[in-house]
Amino acid sequence: TSVAGMIIIIVMANAIGLILTEGMIVSTIIHALSSALSILPDFLIPFGVMTLISILNVIIPSGSAKAVMLMPVLAPIGQIVGMSAQTTVLAYTFGDGFSNFIIPHDSCNISYLEAAKIPYPVWVKFMFRLFLWWCLTGTVILTALYYIGYGPF
């Protein structure tokens, strides 16, 4: 009986994906996000993608679920705004990885803080400057890779 429940979940997920694709909802989302990113100057487009992923990380904390949901959307957005596939994936990785250290509902982060008996506000006070440095470094790296056309794709 547990297998039947899993099959129902997989079928429902595929049905939702099919409805979003056939209803042109995914295309609308891609158009809206790529239009928003296109108004940014070229050097800020990778930062925009990384920021978008960080914001979505608050809503969808699971990295694998977020990848399954967003990669079909992010790949065309990256192509539209001129980012290679590798740079887009790296922007996803930076946005997801950096923000995991500061969002309050990341299970690994909170369990480490609990084990070390560090209050979350103290952690944020310590971590926020490091988080900003990581974002700045990630933006510089992504911008450089954007301009050199990182990757064969």
Side-chain angles (χ1 to χ4, degrees):
T1 58
S2 63
V3 175
M6 296 293 277
I7 292 172
I8 290 172
I9 290 171
I10 292 169
V11 168
M12 292 299 289
N14 285 331
I16 291 169
L18 182 65
I19 290 168
L20 290 175
T21 303
E22 293 297 320
M24 303 293 238
I25 296 168
V26 172
S27 299
T28 304
I29 293 169
I30 290 170
H31 176 69
L33 290 175
S34 62
S35 295
L37 289 171
S38 294
I39 64 171
L40 295 174
D42 282 349
F43 68 93
L44 285 180
I45 289 174
F47 173 73
V49 173
M50 185 175 71
T51 303
L52 173 70
I53 299 303
S54 292
I55 291 168
L56 290 173
N57 200 27
V58 174
I59 300 167
I60 311 165
S62 169
S64 57
K66 191 169 40 277
V68 168
M69 291 172 59
L70 293 180
M71 280 307 166
V73 175
L74 278 180
I77 289 173
Q79 289 176 345
I80 290 170
V81 297
M83 288 176 64
S84 68
Q86 282 82 2
T87 307
T88 304
V89 170
L90 192 60
Y92 170 85
T93 305
F94 284 171
D96 179 48
F98 296 162
S99 60
N100 279 341
F101 285 95
I102 203 151
I103 58 173
H105 56 271
D106 180 58
S107 58
C108 291
N109 191 29
I110 293 301
S111 63
Y112 297 150
L113 293 176
E114 182 63 31
K117 304 217 184 300
I118 299 172
Y120 181 71
V122 172
W123 174 252
V124 170
K125 184 178 178 184
F126 165 76
M127 191 63 198
F128 193 70
R129 276 188 267 163
L130 184 57
F131 173 73
L132 291 177
W133 276 109
W134 285 348
C135 288
L136 178 66
T137 305
T139 299
V140 169
I141 292 169
L142 288 172
T143 302
L145 295 176
Y146 174 77
Y147 280 112
I148 65 170
Y150 170 60
F153 303 109

